[in-house]
């Protein structure tokens, strides 16, 4: 089978690997589409994503759709359309119940160098997953749109961490793919107002296409003071935090959804105290992928987040386009080209 593997910094190869066979309680997936995520881009550009460094060739990718290729148990028929929950859970911890199992240490995630051996990902013709990771798709959800389930679940988890947004004024900072899907989730959740920000006009136009009430180019315009009940930082930009603390109302909530660099940064936190703002972190998700599947089936316009689809032969171009946030929203790699 074909597999895309990152061997280190700037070293991306399409290689032939043996087709894996599923074991007990496993399913083999014939991959259709895989989204290029920010962590995939970091693994390729830097040889690392945050503190996780590539130490062996890594198949990236955790945003996928496909069909069941082989299920020895017979639970799923060949050809069943699915997406996949990319997580395996770690060791249970006191104070962290099953509703927060995504925080248990020792778990794995598809396409991640956080484990040793690395957890190989979905950018291959075939993928082995456990039965409990399989999510069958509704009949009205096409495979292309279903590849958005994982990143949409990330945004939905951030909204849940915020305490929900129904009837609230919401600001989404950063209109990359995660920000766009968070906008779509907030609109679907009944927010009274959803404003999206970015430094570039391309992402802001895409935010409007997925339902943002208004957009703000923070390169030219200032954020209004104390205007929002909930603010979600989705770009992982530490320099934005001081301004976002000004934009959230007294007693409001600021959710850190974007991954921040693992280095010391200077941030003015005075407003955190004087306005009694709650600053909350959001990490991946638990069961929100099920909500994401339902939402994608009910809201076809969310597919506007997808701007480019490349065949496997153009994987280098796909990564380059995905790194250009002015030109691209979500970029998919198409494995369903008959190979």
């Amino acid at each position: 089978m074909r597999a895309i593997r990152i061997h280190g910094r700037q070293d991306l190869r399409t290689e032939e690997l043996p087709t894996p066979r599923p074991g007990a309680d496993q399913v083999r997936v014939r991959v259709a589409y895989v989204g290029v995520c920010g962590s995939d881009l970091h693994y390729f550009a830097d040889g690392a994503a945050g503190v996780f460094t590539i130490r062996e060739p890594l198949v990236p990718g955790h945003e996928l759709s496909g069909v069941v290729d082989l299920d020895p148990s017979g639970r799923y028929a060949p050809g069943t359309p699915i997406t996949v929950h990319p997580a395996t859970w770690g060791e249970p911890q006191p104070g962290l119940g099953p509703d927060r199992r995504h925080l248990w240490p020792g778990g794995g995630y598809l396409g991640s160098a956080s484990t040793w051996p690395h957890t190989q990902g979905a950018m291959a013709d075939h993928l082995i997953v456990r039965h409990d990771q399989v999510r069958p798709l509704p009949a009205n959800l096409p495979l292309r749109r279903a590849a958005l389930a994982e990143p949409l679940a990330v945004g939905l988890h951030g909204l849940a961490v915020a305490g929900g947004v129904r009837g609230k004024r919401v600001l989404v900072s950063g209109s990359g793919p995660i920000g766009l899907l968070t906008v779509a989730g907030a609109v679907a959740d009944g927010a009274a107002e959803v404003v999206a920000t970015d430094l570039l006009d391309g992402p802001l136009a895409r935010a409007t296409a997925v339902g943002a009430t208004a957009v703000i180019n923070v390169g030219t315009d200032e954020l209004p003071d104390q205007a929002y009940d909930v603010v979600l930082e989705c770009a992982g930009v530490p320099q934005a935090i001081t301004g976002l603390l000004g934009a959230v109302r007294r007693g409001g909530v600021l959710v850190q959804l974007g991954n921040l660099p693992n280095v010391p940064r200077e941030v003015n936190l005075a407003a955190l105290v004087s306005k009694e703002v709650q600053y909350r972190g959001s990490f991946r998700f638990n069961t929100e992928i099920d909500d994401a599947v339902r939402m994608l089936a009910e809201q076809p316009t969310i597919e506007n987040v997808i701007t480019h689809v490349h065949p496997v032969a153009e994987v280098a171009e796909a990564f380059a386009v995905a790194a250009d946030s002015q030109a691209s929203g979500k970029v998919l790699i198409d494995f369903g080209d008959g190979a």
Side-chain angles (χ1 to χ4, degrees), residues 21-28 70-73 128-131 134:
R21 292 196 61 82
D25 198 36
Q26 290 183 326
V27 173
R28 185 168 69 200
L70 177 62
D71 179 2
S73 76
I128 300 293
V129 297
R130 299 192 319 259
H131 275 104
V134 173

Side-chain angles (χ1 to χ4, degrees), residues 12-232:
L12 181 73
R13 311 178 197 176
T14 301
E15 302 174 321
E16 287 292 327
L17 298 179
T19 299
R21 292 196 61 82
D25 198 36
Q26 290 183 326
V27 173
R28 185 168 69 200
V29 180
R30 178 65 169 93
V31 176
Y33 295 98
V34 184
V36 180
C37 176
S39 61
D40 303 327
L41 294 175
H42 280 295
Y43 281 128
F44 170 61
D46 308 321
V51 298
F52 305 130
T53 301
I54 290 178
R55 293 182 285 161
E56 65 175 345
L58 175 69
V59 178
H62 48 256
E63 307 172 0
L64 74 138
S65 63
V67 299
V68 172
D69 184 61
L70 177 62
D71 179 2
S73 76
R75 186 182 310 177
Y76 295 111
T80 300
I82 64 166
T83 188
V84 170
H85 195 308
T88 55
W89 311 117
E91 293 296 321
Q93 299 292 299
L96 295 176
D99 60 324
R100 305 189 78 187
R101 58 185 176 173
H102 57 290
L103 298 179
W104 293 350
Y109 211 76
L110 291 179
S112 174
S114 64
T115 57
W116 181 256
H118 297 338
T119 304
Q120 302 298 324
M123 287 190 191
D125 284 319
H126 293 93
L127 173 70
I128 300 293
V129 297
R130 299 192 319 259
H131 275 104
D132 63 1
Q133 293 178 275
V134 173
R135 297 296 189 275
L137 301 180
N140 63 333
L141 179 55
L143 289 171
R144 170 179 156 131
R145 194 188 315 149
L148 296 173
E150 192 276 349
L152 177 56
V154 171
L156 295 181
H157 183 66
L159 298 175
V161 167
V165 295
R166 181 170 296 277
K168 297 179 181 179
R169 299 163 298 167
V170 177
L171 178 70
V172 176
S173 177
S175 296
I178 294 295
L180 294 173
L181 291 165
T182 303
V183 167
V187 171
D189 198 29
E193 178 185 18
V194 183
V195 178
T197 77
D198 207 275
L199 287 165
L200 301 171
D201 291 335
L204 293 176
R206 290 187 281 274
T208 299
V210 295
T213 309
V215 296
I216 299 173
N217 188 320
V218 290
T220 58
D221 299 310
E222 293 186 1
L223 293 174
D225 187 52
Q226 302 194 57
Y228 305 101
D229 304 302
V230 174
V231 175
L232 301 107

Side-chain angles (χ1 to χ4, degrees), residues 267-338:
V267 177
N268 185 350
L269 296 176
L272 191 71
V273 176
S274 63
K275 296 198 295 184
E276 204 168 282
V277 173
Q278 297 181 56
Y279 188 19
R280 304 173 182 174
S282 180
F283 181 66
R284 293 178 181 165
F285 55 88
N286 186 10
T287 62
E288 285 89 354
I289 195 166
D290 302 311
D291 300 323
V293 168
R294 287 191 293 271
M295 187 178 296
L296 288 167
E298 295 168 358
Q299 306 281 340
T301 57
I302 297 178
E303 194 167 337
N304 290 332
V305 172
I306 301 170
T307 57
H308 298 77
V309 180
H310 289 270
V312 176
E314 298 175 3
V315 62
E317 181 179 349
F319 270 64
V321 171
D324 183 350
S325 57
Q326 168 67 7
S328 69
K330 176 53 64 181
V331 176
L332 303 182
I333 299 175
D334 182 359
F335 278 85
D337 53 9

